[in-house]
Amino acid sequence: MEAESYLKMTAAAVEKRADKLIKNRTRAYPLLKKAMLYSLNAGGKRIRPALMFASYSLKGKDFRKILDAGCAIEMLHTYSLIHDDLPAMDDDDLRRGKPTNHKVYGEGMAILAGDALLTDAFYHIVEGNSEINAAFKAKAAGILACRAGSNGMVSGQAADLENEDFYSKGYSKKRLSSILNYIHSRKTSDLIIAACQMGCALSGDRENFSNITSFAENLGLCFQITDDILDVTADKKKLGKSGSDAKNRKLTFVSLYGLESAKEMAELSWKKAFGAIRRLKGKKDAVSTLESIARFVLGRDR
Ligand code: GRG
């Protein structure tokens, strides 16, 4: 299926279900739920659940069987965005075209909304998805914990924070390139890898594990380079965020290699992702959906 239609269909299912999952937390503090729903319902491309569902569909049946796991990765991703926007991190005012969570609910509540989304995500993987084998769900939860925690995304964020003012440190280009690689592989690629690996884990598919990982690593790289390019070239209204990389003197593919080289690098990683897709085994429809999502990532304007 074409990426646009697939993203539309899966995003609608995730949004409806995630809203219900949060509203059903009957013991949760009402304002906390409001803050969680505010960021979760603010839009977003919902690429990670779509990748999970398409990877699951290589061998699995209806993606709705793993809908709660799709909601979980979107909750975890939303937590990372809420915390990333805080004054202590990127200090952004706009996200997904709306004022950031802390601008509306205050810093304390924004931190807690992120904490709750992160923690609830694991509950929904393990306790939801009732038709999925418990061992497959445990494997999926382990993958997400590993890629999102200190071995993955959080360390990417930590390295990013440490290297904000990289111009002043006098590092060589080689060293900066290795720092950039460290950051993007954890901060961006790891959640994309987790989405694809979780899809395979939830269908019990071991055959595609290594090729889906290689696909996701390259797609993650392409996604990040494209994000850096959009930060300087895109219409900020369409992008839905302020484009703060230059303001924060961030180490990005554009600031390190220049716009044209960054575009070539995005194209190269996309080609590598395509190579890995060709080695995947399973339903043709799922393979072509993954191909179309990869094309969407390279060509996106938001
Ligand atoms: C706070 C632990 C912690 C981590 C934050 C995700 C993240 C790490 C920071 C956000 C900033 C950023 C540019 C991260 C790279 C990953 C990325 C491009 C995120 C944005 O994902 P999209 O484009 O966002 O899928 P939407 O809004 O469409 O869901």
Side-chain angles (χ1 to χ4, degrees):
M1 193 186 277
E2 280 307 312
E4 271 83 356
S5 322
Y6 193 74
L7 283 164
K8 213 170 155 188
M9 173 183 75
T10 53
V14 165
E15 283 162 17
K16 194 168 166 214
R17 179 70 180 158
D19 190 75
K20 195 168 168 197
L21 289 175
I22 292 181
K23 288 185 175 152
N24 280 351
R25 310 307 288 155
T26 49
R27 289 183 79 237
Y29 192 67
L31 188 61
L32 177 71
K33 286 212 271 195
K34 228 173 141 186
M36 292 163 79
L37 284 167
Y38 173 79
S39 291
L40 203 60
N41 288 338
K45 297 177 287 297
R46 319 296 189 198
I47 279 182
R48 293 155 194 81
L51 284 169
M52 185 192 294
F53 299 149
S55 306
Y56 169 80
S57 302
L58 287 166
K59 297 281 172 88
K61 295 203 172 83
D62 185 0
F63 79 87
R64 287 173 187 81
K65 290 189 192 304
I66 62 157
L67 193 51
D68 289 1
C71 294
I73 202 161
E74 193 61 23
M75 284 182 192
L76 193 144
H77 167 60
T78 304
Y79 123 75
S80 77
L81 300 180
I82 295 174
H83 283 196
D84 183 64
D85 291 334
L86 288 166
M89 302 235 186
D90 263 9
D91 194 11
D92 273 315
D93 295 346
L94 206 60
R95 170 71 67 180
R96 292 173 165 174
K98 291 172 77 179
T100 43
N101 199 293
H102 65 272
K103 285 276 158 196
V104 181
Y105 294 96
E107 277 182 57
M109 195 54 72
I111 292 172
L112 293 172
D115 292 341
L117 286 165
L118 165 63
T119 316
D120 286 0
F122 290 95
Y123 174 83
H124 296 306
I125 295 171
V126 176
E127 295 298 329
N129 317 290
S130 60
E131 292 178 58
I132 303 293
N133 178 311
F136 296 172
K137 292 195 280 189
K139 172 90 182 150
I143 289 169
L144 187 58
C146 183
R147 295 275 172 186
S150 60
N151 223 20
M153 185 179 72
V154 177
S155 280
Q157 183 76 351
D160 199 11
L161 203 62
E162 276 262 293
N163 288 283
E164 259 189 11
D165 195 8
F166 73 97
Y167 288 111
S168 69
K169 300 198 174 172
Y171 293 155
S172 67
K173 193 166 178 183
K174 195 171 165 206
R175 178 141 186 218
L176 289 172
S177 161
S178 125
I179 295 170
L180 184 59
N181 188 47
Y182 182 99
I183 295 173
H184 89 74
S185 63
R186 287 159 182 79
K187 204 173 129 176
T188 310
S189 300
D190 272 353
L191 214 50
I192 289 176
I193 296 170
C196 295
Q197 287 184 338
M198 287 169 77
C200 288
L202 288 165
S203 70
D205 171 10
R206 287 167 187 242
E207 190 184 13
N208 284 313
F209 211 75
S210 130
N211 285 325
I212 205 77
T213 304
S214 159
F215 161 70
E217 275 166 358
N218 284 295
L219 189 72
L221 176 57
C222 177
F223 193 90
Q224 184 57 55
I225 302 172
T226 308
D227 208 66
D228 290 351
I229 293 171
L230 289 174
D231 198 80
V232 292
T233 60
D235 173 351
K236 301 291 173 278
K237 220 171 160 190
K238 216 172 204 176
L239 202 56
K241 53 183 183 177
S242 18
S244 60
D245 288 351
K247 181 187 90 188
N248 290 339
R249 297 165 64 82
K250 275 278 173 76
L251 176 57
T252 72
F253 285 91
V254 174
S255 67
L256 190 60
Y257 302 106
L259 190 56
E260 284 317 306
S261 301
K263 284 182 182 167
E264 282 167 22
M265 289 167 86
E267 190 94 32
L268 184 67
S269 53
W270 181 76
K271 280 187 182 144
K272 285 187 184 166
F274 247 73
I277 289 181
R278 295 214 175 87
R279 298 191 293 275
L280 291 171
K281 307 267 184 301
K283 291 196 205 81
K284 281 208 168 63
D285 204 30
V287 175
S288 79
T289 301
L290 285 168
E291 245 177 47
S292 180
I293 296 176
R295 239 179 260 117
F296 173 86
V297 164
L298 185 73
R300 74 195 171 102
D301 60 2
R302 66 186 174 96

